[in-house]
Amino acid sequence: MIIKEDTIMNLKQITKATLALSVAGLLLVTAGCGGQKSESSAKTSDAGKKIVKVAHTAHYFPYDYVDDNNQSDGLEVAVMKEVAKKLPQYEFQYVPTSDDDLLIGVESGKYDIGTKGIWKTPAREKKYIFPKNNIAASVIGVTIRKEDADSIKNLEDFAKAGKKLVPIAPQNAQYQVVEDFNAAHSDYPIALEASENFQVADAYSWVLEGRYDGYFTIELSYQKNVTAKNAPYGQFKDKLTYFRYKAIPTYALVNKKDKELAEQVDKALGELKQEGKIAELEKKYFGEELDLLLDKEK
């Protein structure tokens, strides 16, 4: 039997069309089953609970860190674990990571919540949801020369004496704290010099040399860098001292799209405060109740 050329062409076209439809169907099945399953498994646990990924910094002791058993620990992690007990409809998973990955990850939705001893700023409020209730607090103050300790006991003394602070990067939340102080003390403001980031060792050296008179920093950082056993700048501890200014609330960051989760976390944090659980954990990790220092200038 002789098959005409146009018939052969039609058969080829039909075969190609059939093959294309088969491949498309296979892709649809894959997308509908495998892809959907992957998306679902990323958000729901085997028990059918929504998974909440809580990112935390891995080395910010005692706020957020990984312990010797490779487990997430620290004050803020401990508070979040208490929050999880109050929200049994979720399964909280803790992910240790870097500062940058945490911030970018919560903003993008890679993580639902992030904790890193973070302060609230207008710029950050544009990117994240901050629960109304803070999760902990961070003590801020000034490193000065020991020879100045008798005359400078607080930030007012420092400002009235016309002392100079080591420059602070404008994007640093500490810059805003000094600006707030100046707004409340316009008759003796602190000269605030903006600068990019620098080595911590430089800040301590500049204070000792008299180039600047104080280094505005978190108390925990001063303790870790100068006074702790085997501190990297322990050679300065006999020449430097530190005074507290105030405590700044720290918060858990929540992804902008997770409004319901943020409200539930906020409610749980409020209950934990009322029950005294957060105060109990602050004593465990810091030896004192940090919340008592909030809004109290030293």
Side-chain angles (χ1 to χ4, degrees):
M1 180 175 64
I2 298 174
I3 301 176
K4 295 182 179 180
E5 186 176 345
D6 57 346
T7 303
I8 294 174
M9 291 299 294
N10 288 336
L11 287 172
K12 286 182 177 180
Q13 290 173 353
I14 292 170
T15 301
K16 287 181 179 179
T18 302
L19 181 60
L21 286 171
S22 298
V23 172
L26 180 60
L27 290 173
L28 285 171
V29 170
T30 302
C33 296
Q36 186 175 354
K37 182 178 180 182
S38 174
E39 180 71 17
S40 176
S41 63
K43 293 185 176 180
T44 308
S45 69
D46 293 339
K49 297 182 179 181
K50 180 182 177 182
I51 292 175
V52 173
K53 290 192 175 181
V54 181
H56 66 86
T57 42
H59 305 289
Y60 192 33
F61 182 89
Y63 285 95
D64 309 275
Y65 61 93
V66 176
D67 66 18
D68 294 337
N69 296 317
N70 204 34
Q71 298 297 310
S72 295
D73 201 351
L75 170 60
E76 293 185 334
V77 172
V79 172
M80 287 309 304
K81 288 180 178 179
E82 292 298 324
V83 168
K85 293 178 184 178
K86 290 183 172 291
L87 302 176
Q89 66 272 36
Y90 297 107
E91 180 178 309
F92 281 58
Q93 295 180 355
Y94 303 89
V95 185
T97 187
S98 65
D99 281 30
D100 289 342
D101 180 62
L102 184 150
L103 292 172
I104 295 171
V106 174
E107 184 179 0
S108 68
K110 177 182 178 182
Y111 308 117
D112 302 290
I113 300 174
T115 65
K116 61 181 295 292
I118 200 163
W119 303 351
K120 185 188 294 186
T121 66
R124 289 170 180 166
E125 286 184 284
K126 294 178 181 179
K127 297 181 179 181
Y128 314 99
I129 299 176
F130 283 79
K132 294 178 182 178
N133 285 290
N134 60 303
I135 190 171
S138 177
V139 179
I140 192 80
V142 184
T143 301
I144 61 173
R145 295 179 291 273
K146 271 194 176 179
E147 63 193 56
D148 293 332
D150 290 337
S151 58
I152 299 176
K153 299 186 182 299
N154 51 52
L155 201 56
E156 287 83 353
D157 291 343
F158 187 91
K160 289 177 180 178
K163 299 293 186 179
K164 296 188 337 183
L165 282 176
V166 169
I168 305 173
Q171 65 270 23
N172 191 316
Q174 296 174 20
Y175 192 94
Q176 183 65 49
V177 174
V178 179
E179 282 197 324
D180 291 344
F181 173 88
N182 286 344
H185 303 84
S186 56
D187 49 341
Y188 50 90
I190 297 173
L192 185 55
E193 184 178 340
S195 173
E196 292 305 314
N197 293 327
F198 47 80
Q199 297 295 321
V200 173
D202 291 337
Y204 295 132
S205 296
W206 292 341
V207 171
L208 289 174
E209 294 165 1
R211 181 173 172 181
Y212 297 97
D213 305 296
Y215 174 35
F216 201 61
T217 185
I218 295 171
E219 184 177 50
L220 183 62
S221 177
Y222 173 75
Q223 292 170 345
K224 290 173 64 176
N225 285 317
V226 179
T227 63
K229 183 179 180 181
N230 299 321
Y233 310 112
Q235 69 269 28
F236 299 143
K237 66 181 179 181
D238 292 331
K239 298 179 180 180
L240 295 173
T241 189
Y242 183 94
F243 67 80
R244 287 177 167 182
Y245 168 47
K246 65 189 302 183
I248 310 293
T250 64
Y251 294 87
L253 301 174
V254 183
N255 178 268
K256 273 284 189 181
K257 295 180 180 179
D258 285 333
K259 292 183 179 179
E260 182 179 353
L261 174 63
E263 290 173 358
Q264 292 172 340
V265 168
D266 182 54
K267 182 174 182 291
L269 287 169
E271 292 174 358
L272 290 170
K273 280 189 179 184
Q274 291 294 324
E275 295 162 4
K277 188 62 183 181
I278 291 180
E280 176 187 323
L281 291 171
E282 287 177 339
K283 289 179 182 177
K284 174 183 175 180
Y285 287 93
F286 280 86
E288 63 179 320
E289 292 182 43
L290 300 179
D291 254 25
L292 295 178
L293 304 174
L294 289 174
D295 299 321
K296 294 182 180 181
E297 296 183 4
K298 298 294 180 181

